[in-house]
Amino acid sequence: MATPFRGTTPLPVLRLLRKLGTDIRDARLRRRIRAVTVAERALISPTTLHRIERGDPGVSMGNYATVLFALGLHDGISSLADRSRDVLGLDLLEERLPRRVRVPRRGRGRRPSRTE
């Protein structure tokens, strides 16, 4: 079954999903768990699990995450887009920092009234 996403999904992403699917399949086989059992634990159909194990980009990220949870491999999910690992984002943020900070002088501007 062809998915409508194949034409728009970049090739590097397809390769990454294919590797993820293979890794999920290998983890299931190492644990000697049947595909039907993993599908039941993840509350998905065996067909969806087969698509995940092939790296189908049309399957929701939630289903991938649920299968990883069912296999006990969900710990790494939270670090996928962790901001502390976003080197480019941190560099861009640092470029936008001001070179110096100006502190307003006392006596300039509005004085607070006694009632404030």
Side-chain angles (χ1 to χ4, degrees):
M1 181 171 125
T3 62
F5 300 103
R6 292 226 188 271
T8 59
T9 305
L11 187 58
V13 173
L14 291 174
R15 287 184 182 136
L16 289 171
L17 287 173
R18 197 173 310 127
K19 182 188 180 318
L20 176 61
T22 301
D23 291 345
I24 288 172
R25 180 180 169 274
D26 291 346
R28 178 179 62 78
L29 294 174
R30 281 192 303 273
R31 287 162 176 69
R32 292 190 167 101
I33 304 174
R34 294 177 40 208
V36 174
T37 305
V38 172
E40 286 174 359
R41 289 179 184 173
L43 303 174
I44 60 173
S45 71
T47 303
T48 301
L49 178 62
H50 180 68
R51 289 174 60 201
I52 287 171
E53 291 182 349
R54 286 186 298 144
D56 189 331
V59 177
S60 77
M61 186 174 170
N63 285 337
Y64 276 93
T66 305
V67 169
L68 289 168
F69 178 79
L71 293 171
L73 298 171
H74 59 284
D75 290 339
I77 295 173
S78 64
S79 65
L80 288 176
D82 186 4
R83 65 180 170 195
S84 66
R85 294 182 175 188
D86 183 9
V87 178
L88 176 61
L90 291 172
D91 287 345
L92 290 171
L93 184 63
E94 193 171 306
E95 284 179 9
R96 283 187 251 146
L97 290 176
R99 294 190 188 273
R100 65 181 182 177
V101 177
R102 295 181 184 189
V103 180
R105 293 183 194 170
R106 285 189 167 195
R108 290 191 174 190
R110 183 171 96 51
R111 286 187 177 189
S113 67
R114 291 182 187 209
T115 60
E116 288 183 17

